[in-house]
Amino acid sequence: MDVMGIQQKEIDETRQGEAYAPFKNDINSYKKFFYIESYGCQMNFSDSEIVASIMNTEGFGATPNFEDAHLILLNTCSIREKAELTIRKRLTEFKKIKESKPGTLIGILGCMAERLKFKLLEEEKLVDMVVGPDAYRSLPALIEEAEGGQKAVNVLLSRDETYADISPVRLDSNGITAFISIMRGCNNMCSFCVVPFTRGRERSRDVQSILSEAIDLFNKGYKEVTLLGQNVDSYYWVDEQRDEIITFAKLLEKVALISSELRVRFSTSHPKDITDEVLHIMDRYENICKYIHLPIQSGNTRILQLMNRTYTREWYLSKVDKIREIMPDCGISSDVIAGFCTETEEEHKDTLSAMEYSKYDMSYMFFYSERPGTLAEKRYEDDIADNVKKRRLQEIIDLQNKLSQDSYKRDIGKTFKVLIEGNSKRSDNDWMGRNSQNKVIVFPKENFNANKGDYVWVKVNDCTQATLLGEIVQH
Ligand code: SAM
Ligand code: SF4
């Protein structure tokens, strides 16, 4: 869903289907090449970096052109019907390459592989391998099987796989910001959501491996890490060697203490799990970014109950109050679903009023898409007509556009510390960076000899729909 110029992060529409660019500093020469495209949430993009690492070890180099590849991999998403349709359409485009280059292998990875399993092989004759999110270590064996002419499948979910020891090959990369996966799976059973079925039980990654990865990134010049998980606030690790229990608040603090020059972000927080301790740790460390993605889904208590979100409207709004009380300058964003089963007009209006109350800086907005196997599919009728869902979604988008605009306008005249991520998309004469609240700021390079990866102070003079425009006032 195009959300009209509003910043995307977790499900970044501009990155959907992004091909893996070869690791710039990779000095190895390869005889075989793989091509990988990623869809869906940031977790999938992060997983593709793990897959890239496994493939490199197996002697496969990365190529950004699928025509050159021996192996084409699609890391897929099942969250909405449209996500799966996009991938099926994309598959038809690989038909020709299979005909002209017999022997090219096609593998489906990720959530769609996990959801459809063997069925995918029956439905998509083109596909040679189906590999679930916990089975990437078996890729070399599966490739061998597929090279021998067998269809290869591994969709086993694991209770402990975190790929902790695999050092991801950084995807794009701007060399400044990176994602670190801290946990996998999800134990929440939001009734609309397919994730618990496709990504399995929740498990946290060894704290020491997370810290080593962050330190390694910092030593390589990275200045910002985002700790990733479906529900980061339920991170929990018992460090037996040091006799220490690590909660998410503790983890956040440990990463923040690596260096005051290393910014820390995290995503996503389930409102029920984000504790006051996390908020106070965020407040205490300047380098923990003042930004929380806090998906509401609906602003109506009855619908929230049907969604199995385990909080009420009032409880959610009091969480927003608490964030603003502890960190008045904290950015907040959300996920919103329009037209969930049995939602009335009044209940839809409750979502709009909750959005207004929360003053989100941005949101990811969707209409409800029934997913096979979920609790909602089993229990409730998907009874809101498509045109009603779409109209309600449009009202949500219109309101968010207004809230974003208000939020960006409130920043005019303020000065922010900005981490420079690179050139602006439009002009090499301008830098692009983000402030702590995760807003993009574009500003001229002139008069200051700043570099990518530097922190600068930028005064905001103007804004567009989703970008602040400013000038450097201090380097
Ligand atoms: N774990 C995160 C959370 O709980 O907020 C994000 C999970 S999901 C990858 C991202 C978003 O997709 C959800 O927050 C929800 O708004 C949306 N989503 C999930 N299932 C959906 C469905 N069946 N129809 C429409 N939107 C859905
Ligand atoms: Fe899905 Fe809910 Fe888990 Fe998020 S918390 S991944 S919406 S089940």
Side-chain angles (χ1 to χ4, degrees), residues 79 185-196 230-231 268 270 272 297 307-309 335:
I79 200 86
C186 183
N187 284 357
N188 295 319
M189 276 288 178
C190 300
S191 64
F192 51 80
C193 186
V194 80
V195 168
Q230 293 298 347
N231 186 12
T268 296
H270 192 300
K272 78 176 163 55
Q297 314 296 2
M307 287 177 163
N308 203 20
R309 287 292 286 183
D335 291 352

Side-chain angles (χ1 to χ4, degrees), residues 9-11 41-43 179-183 225-233 248 252 264-270 291-295 333 335 362 364 438:
K9 184 162 170 245
E10 185 184 51
I11 301 168
C41 68
Q42 199 51 58
M43 225 35 214
F179 290 89
I180 300 181
S181 163
I182 64 161
M183 61 185 304
V225 292
T226 301
L227 308 180
L228 265 192
Q230 293 298 347
N231 186 12
V232 287
D233 300 272
F248 181 60
L252 206 50
V264 191
R265 298 187 186 277
F266 56 90
S267 185
T268 296
S269 296
H270 192 300
Y291 168 65
I292 301 176
H293 185 58
L294 197 72
S333 59
D335 291 352
M362 69 108 175
Y364 302 103
N438 206 33

Side-chain angles (χ1 to χ4, degrees), residues 63-329:
T63 170
N65 308 312
F66 67 81
E67 294 89 350
D68 303 334
H70 300 89
L71 176 61
I72 295 174
L73 300 171
L74 298 187
N75 197 353
T76 62
C77 171
S78 284
I79 200 86
R80 282 166 290 276
E81 194 184 7
K82 187 174 163 261
E84 291 198 356
L85 292 176
T86 307
I87 286 147
R88 291 199 189 256
K89 191 160 159 265
R90 182 68 175 138
L91 270 176
T92 62
E93 293 166 25
F94 294 128
K95 233 185 203 131
K96 272 201 204 103
I97 201 86
K98 268 254 188 230
E99 284 161 9
S100 64
K101 266 181 69 187
T104 308
L105 297 178
I106 296 187
I108 300 289
L109 316 180
C111 289
M112 210 173 150
E114 192 62 51
R115 193 179 85 71
L116 293 164
K117 303 184 171 65
F118 287 89
K119 236 172 109 186
L120 199 52
L121 291 177
E122 288 158 27
E123 290 170 5
E124 303 288 347
K125 299 277 182 261
L126 213 64
V127 172
D128 303 288
M129 294 190 303
V130 175
V131 193
D134 286 347
Y136 297 145
R137 281 182 206 269
S138 67
L139 264 169
L142 295 171
I143 294 169
E144 215 178 293
E145 220 175 302
E147 281 175 341
Q150 302 279 324
K151 298 271 179 187
V153 178
N154 186 350
V155 285
L156 286 176
L157 286 173
S158 159
R159 279 183 174 265
D160 47 27
E161 178 63 274
T162 58
Y163 301 109
D165 55 317
I166 296 182
S167 176
V169 172
R170 296 297 156 188
L171 241 164
D172 51 17
S173 149
N174 64 10
I176 305 297
T177 60
F179 290 89
I180 300 181
S181 163
I182 64 161
M183 61 185 304
R184 299 180 72 82
C186 183
N187 284 357
N188 295 319
M189 276 288 178
C190 300
S191 64
F192 51 80
C193 186
V194 80
V195 168
F197 305 97
T198 59
R199 291 195 154 260
R201 306 287 294 170
E202 193 174 282
R203 67 221 94 122
S204 297
R205 177 178 167 189
D206 183 335
V207 63
Q208 294 308 326
S209 77
I210 297 171
L211 294 175
S212 308
E213 192 172 326
I215 292 167
D216 182 52
L217 284 164
F218 183 64
N219 289 339
K220 285 180 174 146
Y222 284 81
K223 291 290 183 64
E224 183 182 295
V225 292
T226 301
L227 308 180
L228 265 192
Q230 293 298 347
N231 186 12
V232 287
D233 300 272
S234 61
Y235 178 87
Y236 185 84
W237 182 262
V238 182
D239 192 341
E240 280 167 2
Q241 275 178 339
R242 291 167 183 79
D243 197 20
E244 201 180 0
I245 287 173
I246 315 288
T247 58
F248 181 60
K250 282 238 173 74
L251 174 69
L252 206 50
E253 182 167 39
K254 281 178 186 290
V255 181
L257 284 169
I258 290 173
S259 166
S260 57
E261 287 284 295
L262 181 70
R263 272 186 171 179
V264 191
R265 298 187 186 277
F266 56 90
S267 185
T268 296
S269 296
H270 192 300
K272 78 176 163 55
D273 292 319
I274 187 162
T275 58
D276 287 359
E277 198 193 352
V278 168
L279 301 179
H280 286 298
I281 292 283
M282 285 178 75
D283 184 43
R284 191 173 310 151
Y285 293 92
E286 187 271 338
N287 59 327
I288 303 181
C289 290
K290 306 297 176 277
Y291 168 65
I292 301 176
H293 185 58
L294 197 72
I296 188 171
Q297 314 296 2
S298 164
N300 174 269
T301 298
R302 188 186 75 88
I303 295 294
L304 285 168
Q305 263 167 0
L306 294 186
M307 287 177 163
N308 203 20
R309 287 292 286 183
T310 71
Y311 52 84
T312 61
R313 170 190 174 88
E314 290 69 29
W315 195 91
Y316 178 94
L317 296 181
S318 68
K319 193 56 92 178
V320 170
D321 289 342
K322 194 76 191 175
I323 294 170
R324 303 241 187 259
E325 180 194 315
I326 296 174
M327 293 172 288
D329 65 340

Side-chain angles (χ1 to χ4, degrees), residues 308-360:
N308 203 20
R309 287 292 286 183
T310 71
Y311 52 84
T312 61
R313 170 190 174 88
E314 290 69 29
W315 195 91
Y316 178 94
L317 296 181
S318 68
K319 193 56 92 178
V320 170
D321 289 342
K322 194 76 191 175
I323 294 170
R324 303 241 187 259
E325 180 194 315
I326 296 174
M327 293 172 288
D329 65 340
C330 191
I332 305 180
S333 59
S334 192
D335 291 352
V336 187
I337 298 180
F340 188 66
C341 314
T342 74
E343 184 189 68
T344 65
E345 277 311 312
E346 281 309 306
E347 289 166 337
H348 161 63
K349 288 199 176 109
D350 283 346
T351 297
L352 296 175
S353 65
M355 288 173 69
E356 280 202 81
Y357 184 91
S358 306
K359 296 196 177 70
Y360 299 128

